[in-house]
Amino acid sequence: MQSLNGRVALVTGAGRGIGRAIALSLARHGADLAINFASNEQAAGEVAEKVRAMGRKAELFKCNIADDAAVHAMGEAIKKVYPNIDILVNNAGITRDKSFLKMNHSEWDEVVAVNLKGPVQMTHLFLPQMVEKGWGRIINITSVIGQMGNFGQANYAAAKGGLDAFTKTIAKEVARKGVTANCVAPGFIRTDMTAQVSEKALEHIKSITPMGRMGEAEEIAEVVAFLASPAASFVTGQEIGANGGLYM
Ligand SMILES: NC(=O)c1ccc[n+]([C@@H]2O[C@H](COP(=O)([O-])OP(=O)(O)OC[C@H]3O[C@@H](n4cnc5c(N)ncnc54)[C@H](OP(=O)(O)O)[C@@H]3O)[C@@H](O)[C@H]2O)c1
């Protein structure tokens, strides 16, 4: 299936984890790739090599998406290589877990800046050209935590819940312009992010997940590829959970 032939996708945080799997899946479906990363150039470069090996274009763009000026500069650099971005996947995210009573302002601000302000800035940059072209896909990676809440993750839950609300509003505003906006809300997925979680906590998560296991990055990537594809043309304003049944 090469349903994304001729499309260009920009994936933030595409060097590792879920973003990596999303970039590879979109390339497999035919898209050319703009690969954003924050610091791990080697990992992002390996993704680019894999994309090129599939016969697709791939370019790297280093940028901290929490930095407004850097995001703007990246937007300019991307436009020189790819005049149009058709599919924007806001995937980059971080955690700074602590119970709210112990959480300080910088732990709150850091998480909101990367997980909420970053996607908003990216959307602000690329939505106008999608509207002008009359076709586009905004796909935001939220989290089951934004849907359920979780001990020690007030900053992360608020940012992800806010991103879902932002997505629904954008979806309404551009619904008649050929642009869809949706979220994919993963449950617990095996990546570097969850490698920080203790074995005991992961065992508990598996025990309360109906499927009894964690997910793989590729299981999120395929949902993103569906939302990017022509098959999802009537899907907008949705938050699709991929969580093994943890939240229904
Ligand atoms: N893993 C899970 O269980 C899970 C569950 C629900 C939702 N999610 C969400 O899924 C997304 C991906 O998570 P993951 O598990 O794949 O995380 P990960 O393995 O920790 O990878 C994070 C990626 O984001 C990039 N990144 C981090 N901060 C950035 C910044 N300020 N600017 C640009 N890029 C930045 C990193 O770039 P470098 O490689 O350059 O460091 C890396 O590529 C996140 O939004 C996360 O909240 C994950």
Side-chain angles (χ1 to χ4, degrees):
M1 192 169 70
Q2 297 267 289
S3 60
L4 300 180
N5 263 340
R7 302 289 185 199
V8 180
L10 164 57
V11 182
T12 65
R16 295 186 287 123
I18 293 171
R20 176 183 192 276
I22 291 170
L24 296 179
S25 174
L26 294 178
R28 212 174 299 119
H29 287 85
D32 291 329
L33 260 298
I35 295 168
N36 161 256
F37 66 101
S39 57
N40 193 333
E41 184 154 10
Q42 191 185 336
E46 284 168 18
V47 174
E49 282 311 310
K50 283 186 180 288
V51 170
R52 291 183 193 122
M54 291 182 219
R56 313 263 56 106
K57 267 178 81 174
E59 296 292 338
L60 299 186
F61 298 94
K62 180 177 180 175
C63 168
N64 170 8
I65 59 154
D67 178 338
D68 294 353
V71 168
H72 187 77
M74 177 172 71
E76 294 302 312
I78 289 174
K79 279 174 196 168
K80 283 185 189 144
V81 183
Y82 298 117
N84 279 297
I85 293 294
D86 303 295
I87 301 158
L88 169 62
V89 184
N90 286 306
N91 162 80
I94 59 166
T95 51
R96 296 288 181 268
D97 297 353
K98 208 172 263 183
S99 73
F100 186 63
L101 290 173
K102 293 179 183 157
M103 190 178 288
N104 62 36
H105 282 291
S106 73
E107 286 153 350
W108 177 275
D109 287 346
E110 213 183 330
V111 167
V112 172
V114 177
N115 295 14
L116 179 56
K117 192 187 72 167
V120 169
Q121 292 286 93
M122 296 293 295
T123 305
H124 211 221
L125 267 183
F126 292 103
L127 188 61
Q129 55 174 245
M130 291 180 188
V131 167
E132 198 175 319
K133 197 175 171 186
W135 198 96
R137 298 277 194 266
I138 305 280
I139 303 166
N140 293 327
I141 306 303
T142 55
S143 171
V144 71
I145 303 306
Q147 300 173 306
M148 297 171 66
N150 196 28
F151 189 97
Q153 294 198 295
N155 47 3
Y156 185 77
K160 293 297 192 182
L163 184 54
D164 178 48
F166 168 73
T167 308
K168 290 187 165 87
T169 299
I170 294 305
K172 285 189 176 174
E173 291 186 1
V174 296
R176 295 182 183 214
K177 310 282 186 191
V179 180
T180 67
N182 293 285
C183 295
V184 177
F188 287 83
I189 310 300
R190 282 198 316 125
T191 67
D192 293 344
M193 182 178 274
T194 46
Q196 302 164 19
V197 179
S198 72
E199 200 53 46
K200 192 174 164 215
L202 291 179
E203 281 311 314
H204 172 68
I205 286 157
K206 285 188 228 170
S207 74
I208 60 170
T209 300
M211 285 191 183
R213 65 174 177 88
M214 293 176 70
E216 301 298 330
E218 290 71 20
E219 293 178 291
I220 305 304
E222 288 309 309
V223 182
V224 172
F226 162 69
L227 287 172
S229 77
S233 53
F234 202 49
V235 181
T236 199
Q238 304 304 307
E239 185 174 38
I240 300 182
N243 57 37
L246 179 58
Y247 178 81
M248 299 182 184

